[in-house]
C-alpha cells in the first residue's frame, strides 16, 4: 500500500524513524490515503534558533584532594555576612551575587577563596552564553499545535521531532481539538540558578512570540519545566497586550491561582492510574497489594506513585537520575514525596539519601520482582536487554518513548502487557485542554469535575484501543469502537496508533486539502 514512499535506499535509523515504524505499520493497516501519509510523515515546521543568556559569576568547588587545591591549604576562611547572597545550584556551584561582598572579610589567592564549613572555591567570572533552542510544530489539522517544553542537556532536532509527532497522535487519541508540537532548550538546568533559568525562559518565549498563541501553539510543562516556567512564559507572551487575560490559554500547566486547572499537576500520573485500573478490571487483577516499580520521581512518577499507593499498591522501588531506592514491603510514598518535592535543600529533587529505603545499584532496578513497571523518566530505557530481565506483568509508559522497538518485541514475546505512552500519559494534555477551555470561558472547575471528566475520557479511549487490539467492535454507554476496529487484531501500541490515525485522517478526507 505504501506506493508514494520512495524509501528504496536504506535510511539511517534515528529515534524519529524508529518511532515512525509504528506510524507506518498502522497506516498500512488502515490503508491510509497516500497524501495524508505524506502530510503526517514530517513536521509542518521545524524552528531551530539560539537563545543567549548572561551567566552570573560563580564559585566552583575545588575539592581538597585536587592537585590544585594543595596550594591553598593554608588559605584562611573568608567570612561573608550576607551569606544568602551565595545561591546554591544543584550541581554544587554557587552563584556569587555581588551583595555577598558587602561588609565581607575576604582573602582571595589566585581567584580562590575558602568559605568556612564549605571548603575551597574558584571564582569564575560570568559570561554570555548561547544555547540551541527548538520548537517543532508537527501537525495542526485537528487544532492548535500543542506540546511541552523540555530543558535538558541531551535534546536535539531528532528527539523533538519524535516528541512533537507523539503529541499529534496523543491529542487525537485523547480526542481533544489540538495538534502536536514540542520544543525546548539544550541546557543542563542543574548547572544554572533560578534567575538564570527565568532569563533563559523569557528569551525563549520572546523569540517564539510570533509563533505562539492560544489558537496557534500552546506549550506545557515537560522534563525540567513546571508551573513556574509556564507562568514566566505567559508573562512574556502577554506583556504589552491590551487584553492580557484573553491570552491566558497560551500556556497550560499553570498554577491554579493564575488560571491553571485543578487536577493538572497530577493529571498525567492520574491518567496512568486510570489506565492501570482499566487493565486490572479487564484481567481480574487485584490492585491492593500489587507491587510496583517506578522510574522517575518527577511530576509523572511521583503522582502515579502517590495515587497507586492510595489504592493500596506497594511501591517497592524508585529509580531517578541520581539514585535507586528499594523497600520490599513498600515505600512510604507520602514521606518520599515530601523528601523530594517539599524540601528546599533537596536541590536536585532526588530520592538519593531517602532514609526510609535501601540504596541499590540501577542495574538491579528493572529485575525487581513486581507486578507493574512504570517508566516515567526519559526515552529508550527499556531496550531488548531490560525487557528480557523485567519480572512484571504490565509495563505502563508514563514517559514518552521509554520502550525501544527491540524492547517492544521482547515484551510481546514474553507476553508482558504494555500500555503505550500515547494513551497512558495522555492525562496531562487532556487536563491541559480543560485548562484551556476554562481560560477561554473564564471559568474555574472543581477538582472533582476535572477528574470525573478525565476518568471518562481516558477509560473510554482506553476501551476503544483495547477493542481495536482484540478486533472486538463494541458500543457501550461509555465507548463506541465500531468505527475504529479494522478486521484483524493488533498489539496495543499499533492499536493506539490506528485510533489516532483514523481520527486525524478524517479531517483530511472530509475537509480536503487547501491548494
Ligand atoms: P520531571 O522533570 O518532573 O521528572 C523527571 C524525572 O526523571 C526525575 O525524577 C529525574 O530524576 C528522572 N530522570 C531523569 N533522567 C533519568 C535517568 N537517566 N534515569 C532515571 N531517571 C531519570 O519530568 P516529568 O514531567 O515527570 O516527565 C517525565 C516523563 O513523562 C517524560 O518522558 C515526559 O515527556 C513525560 N510526560 C510528562 C507529562 C507532564 O505532564 N509532565 C505529560 C506527558 C508525558
Amino acid at each position: 500500500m505504501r506506493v508514494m514512499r520512495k524509501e528504496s535506499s536504506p535510511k539511517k535509523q534515528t529515534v524519529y524513524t524508529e518511532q515512525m515504524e509504528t506510524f507506518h505499520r498502522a497506516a498500512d493497516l488502515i490503508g491510509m490515503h497516500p497524501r495524508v501519509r505524506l502530510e503526517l510523515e514530517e513536521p509542518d515546521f521545524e524552528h531551530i534558533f539560539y537563545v543567549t543568556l548572561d551567566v552570573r559569576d560563580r564559585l566552583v568547588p575545588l575539592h581538597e584532594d585536587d592537585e590544585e587545591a594543595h596550594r591553598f591549604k593554608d588559605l584562611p576562611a573568608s567570612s561573608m555576612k550576607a551569606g544568602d547572597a551565595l545561591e546554591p545550584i544543584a550541581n554544587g556551584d554557587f552563584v556569587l551575587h555581588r551583595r555577598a561582598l558587602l561588609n565581607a572579610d575576604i582573602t582571595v589567592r589566585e581567584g580562590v577563596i575558602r568559605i568556612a564549613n564549605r571548603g575551597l572555591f574558584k571564582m569564575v567570572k560570568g559570561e554570555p552564553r548561547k544555547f540551541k533552542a527548538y520548537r517543532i510544530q508537527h501537525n495542526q489539522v485537528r487544532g492548535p499545535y500543542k506540546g511541552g517544553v523540555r530543558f535538558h542537556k541531551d535534546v536535539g532536532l531528532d528527539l523533538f521531532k519524535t516528541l512533537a509527532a507523539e503529541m499529534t497522535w496523543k491529542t487525537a487519541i485523547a480526542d481533544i481539538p489540538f495538534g502536536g508540537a514540542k520544543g525546548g532548550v539544550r541546557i543542563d538546568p542543574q548547572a544554572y540558578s533560578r534567575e538564570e533559568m527565568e532569563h533563559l525562559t523569557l528569551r525563549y518565549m520572546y523569540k517564539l512570540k510570533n509563533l505562539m498563541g492560544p489558537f496557534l501553539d500552546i506549550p506545557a510543562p515537560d522534563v525540567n519545566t513546571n508551573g513556574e516556567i509556564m507562568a514566566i512564559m505567559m508573562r512574556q507572551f502577554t506583556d504589552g497586550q491590551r487584553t492580557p487575560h484573553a491570552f491566558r490559554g497560551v500556556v497550560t500547566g499553570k498554577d491554579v491561582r493564575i488560571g491553571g486547572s485543578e487536577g493538572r499537576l497530577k493529571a498525567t500520573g492520574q491518567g496512568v492510574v486510570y489506565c492501570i485500573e482499566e487493565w486490572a478490571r479487564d484481567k481480574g487483577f487485584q490492585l491492593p497489594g500489587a507491587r510496583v516499580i517506578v522510574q522517575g520521581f518527577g511530576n509523572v512518577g511521583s503522582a502515579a506513585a502517590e495515587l497507586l499507593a492510595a489504592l493500596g499498591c506497594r511501591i517497592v522501588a524508585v529509580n531517578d537520575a541520581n539514585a535507586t531506592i528499594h523497600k520490599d514491603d513498600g515505600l512510604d510514598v507520602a514521606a518520599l514525596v515530601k523528601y523530594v518535592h517539599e524540601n528546599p535543600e533537596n536541590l536536585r529533587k532526588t530520592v538519593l539519601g531517602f532514609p526510609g529505603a535501601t540504596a541499590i545499584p540501577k542495574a538491579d532496578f528493572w529485575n525487581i520482582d513486581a507486578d507493574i513497571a512504570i517508566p516515567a523518566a526519559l526515552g529508550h530505557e527499556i531496550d531488548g536487554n531490560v525487557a528480557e530481565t523485567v519480572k512484571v506483568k504490565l509495563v505502563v509508559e508514563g514517559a514518552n518513548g521509554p520502550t525501544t522497538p527491540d524492547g517492544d518485541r521482547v515484551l510481546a514475546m514474553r507476553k508482558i502487557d504494555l500500555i503505550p505512552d500515547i494513551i497512558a500519559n495522555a492525562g496531562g494534555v487532556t487536563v491541559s485542554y480543560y485548562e484551556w477551555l476554562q481560560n477561554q470561558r473564564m471559568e474555574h472547575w472543581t477538582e472533582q469535575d476535572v477528574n470525573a471528566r478525565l476518568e471518562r475520557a481516558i477509560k473510554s479511549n482506553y476501551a476503544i484501543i483495547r477493542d481495536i487490539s482484540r478486533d472486538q467492535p463494541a458500543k457501550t454507554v461509555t465507548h463506541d469502537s465500531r468505527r475504529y476496529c479494522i478486521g484483524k487484531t493488533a498489539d496495543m501500541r499499533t492499536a493506539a496508533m490506528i485510533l489516532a490515525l483514523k481520527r486525524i485522517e478524517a479531517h483530511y478526507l472530509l475537509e480536503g486539502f487547501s491548494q
Side-chain angles (χ1 to χ4, degrees):
M1 284 303 287
R2 283 150 69 170
V3 279
M4 299 298 284
R5 294 186 72 222
K6 284 199 227 142
E7 294 237 294
S8 44
S9 58
K11 266 193 173 173
K12 201 176 131 235
Q13 270 296 81
T14 66
V15 177
Y16 187 67
T17 57
E18 226 174 69
Q19 184 231 33
M20 290 300 279
E21 282 178 18
T22 313
F23 165 82
H24 287 301
R25 194 164 55 244
D28 283 346
L29 282 167
I30 66 169
M32 178 179 259
H33 188 291
R35 185 161 174 197
V36 178
R37 190 195 289 252
L38 287 182
E39 287 283 336
L40 292 169
E41 247 178 17
E42 295 292 340
D44 288 349
F45 302 101
E46 296 172 356
H47 305 285
I48 304 178
F49 53 103
Y50 286 89
V51 287
T52 58
L53 173 69
D54 275 324
V55 175
R56 300 280 185 226
D57 298 338
R58 292 233 176 332
L59 293 181
V60 177
L62 254 190
H63 296 292
E64 300 280 351
D65 40 354
D66 275 6
E67 222 174 276
E68 211 186 343
H70 232 68
R71 302 209 309 276
F72 304 101
K73 262 195 151 30
D74 59 341
L75 189 68
S78 297
S79 135
M80 294 190 186
K81 305 266 177 339
D84 62 336
L86 291 185
E87 186 186 343
I89 313 182
N91 70 352
D93 295 357
F94 285 86
V95 168
L96 176 61
H97 293 287
R98 276 185 204 148
R99 78 194 157 79
L101 304 179
L102 289 175
N103 302 318
D105 184 0
I106 287 184
T107 312
V108 186
R109 193 190 302 159
E110 297 172 47
V112 172
I113 67 170
R114 178 186 299 282
I115 299 178
N117 305 323
R118 285 190 175 151
L120 289 169
F121 288 87
K122 201 171 184 75
M123 289 169 141
V124 177
K125 195 173 156 10
E127 58 176 13
R129 267 184 216 165
K130 70 171 193 283
F131 300 89
K132 202 158 188 174
Y134 302 81
R135 185 70 183 170
I136 308 304
Q137 297 172 322
H138 179 262
N139 190 274
Q140 62 167 347
V141 74
R142 302 185 72 258
Y145 298 111
K146 181 90 191 80
V149 172
R150 182 176 291 198
F151 292 161
H152 197 270
K153 59 184 177 6
D154 297 325
V155 295
L157 176 61
D158 190 57
L159 178 67
F160 280 132
K161 271 177 73 175
T162 310
L163 295 171
E166 281 232 353
M167 287 307 296
T168 302
W169 323 138
K170 198 178 301 180
T171 49
I173 283 175
D175 211 7
I176 56 178
F178 289 143
K182 204 83 172 196
V185 182
R186 190 192 293 164
I187 185 171
D188 177 7
Q190 307 238 322
Y192 294 90
S193 68
R194 207 178 150 133
E195 184 196 44
E196 287 164 338
M197 292 312 293
E198 175 175 351
H199 291 179
L200 180 100
T201 305
L202 286 170
R203 198 68 192 156
Y204 177 69
M205 192 53 161
Y206 176 79
K207 290 230 165 167
L208 283 174
K209 232 171 165 173
N210 287 330
L211 303 169
M212 296 284 169
F215 289 92
L216 188 52
D217 187 349
I218 308 150
D222 190 70
V223 175
N224 292 325
T225 59
N226 53 22
E228 231 176 278
I229 299 284
M230 293 307 113
I232 295 167
M233 292 184 79
M234 179 173 77
R235 185 179 95 217
Q236 179 66 298
F237 187 83
T238 55
D239 241 4
Q241 299 278 3
R242 221 152 52 95
T243 54
H245 49 274
F247 296 95
R248 288 252 151 98
V250 65
V251 291
T252 59
K254 302 179 288 283
D255 188 299
V256 286
R257 292 166 294 185
I258 56 169
S261 176
E262 301 291 347
R264 174 61 183 91
L265 199 60
K266 289 194 179 169
T268 308
Q270 182 70 75
V272 166
V273 173
Y274 288 147
C275 286
I276 294 174
E277 282 181 339
E278 275 308 275
W279 171 87
R281 202 170 57 84
D282 250 13
K283 300 268 165 179
F285 178 87
Q286 289 305 312
L287 283 176
R291 295 165 60 82
V292 182
I293 57 174
V294 182
Q295 182 185 48
F297 207 70
N299 177 286
V300 181
S302 65
E306 256 186 310
L307 295 162
L308 285 173
L311 294 178
C313 297
R314 279 183 288 167
I315 314 300
V316 291
V318 173
N319 160 253
D320 74 7
N322 305 291
T324 308
I325 57 171
H326 178 230
K327 189 158 192 280
D328 209 54
D329 54 354
L331 293 153
D332 177 346
V333 178
L336 185 61
V337 168
K338 238 183 170 157
Y339 179 83
V340 173
H341 293 289
E342 290 160 30
N343 172 10
E345 312 244 299
N346 190 345
L347 291 172
R348 289 186 287 175
K349 296 199 181 304
T350 172
V351 301
L352 178 74
F354 178 61
T358 316
I360 58 166
K362 179 170 179 179
D364 295 344
F365 173 73
W366 291 113
N367 55 21
I368 286 172
D369 234 323
D371 299 298
I372 300 170
I374 306 178
L378 301 180
H380 275 213
E381 284 288 320
I382 305 185
D383 57 13
N385 291 333
V386 169
E388 285 287 358
T389 59
V390 284
K391 293 189 182 131
V392 293
K393 300 179 178 67
L394 171 71
V395 171
V396 193
E397 296 185 325
N400 284 313
T403 315
T404 65
D406 258 356
D408 262 1
R409 280 185 277 274
V410 175
L411 291 179
M413 235 163 49
R414 295 187 57 211
K415 304 221 174 323
I416 294 172
D417 288 341
L418 178 119
I419 305 179
D421 47 7
I422 46 181
I423 175 71
N425 67 32
V429 78
T430 304
V431 176
S432 275
Y433 168 57
Y434 302 158
E435 176 176 339
W436 180 88
L437 271 182
Q438 291 169 74
N439 293 157
Q440 301 310 322
R441 300 176 181 175
M442 305 271 181
E443 286 180 359
H444 188 87
W445 304 353
T446 65
E447 185 169 3
Q448 234 177 355
D449 274 351
V450 169
N451 282 343
R453 278 181 184 242
L454 177 65
E455 180 169 7
R456 269 200 310 276
I458 293 276
K459 290 189 174 174
S460 81
N461 286 311
Y462 179 90
I464 296 175
I465 294 168
R466 183 204 53 212
D467 289 359
I468 299 171
S469 164
R470 297 177 183 166
D471 192 32
Q472 287 173 348
K475 179 173 166 29
T476 67
V477 280
T478 51
H479 85 291
D480 183 353
S481 60
R482 292 169 304 171
R483 198 192 278 288
Y484 302 108
C485 291
I486 58 163
K488 50 176 101 154
T489 60
D491 60 82
M492 283 292 276
R493 194 184 300 288
T494 309
M497 186 65 90
I498 287 169
L499 175 61
L501 296 189
K502 283 201 162 207
R503 283 182 174 157
I504 296 165
E505 190 185 42
H507 282 262
Y508 287 104
L509 299 184
L510 297 173
E511 295 173 32
F513 295 86
S514 304
Q515 306 290 344

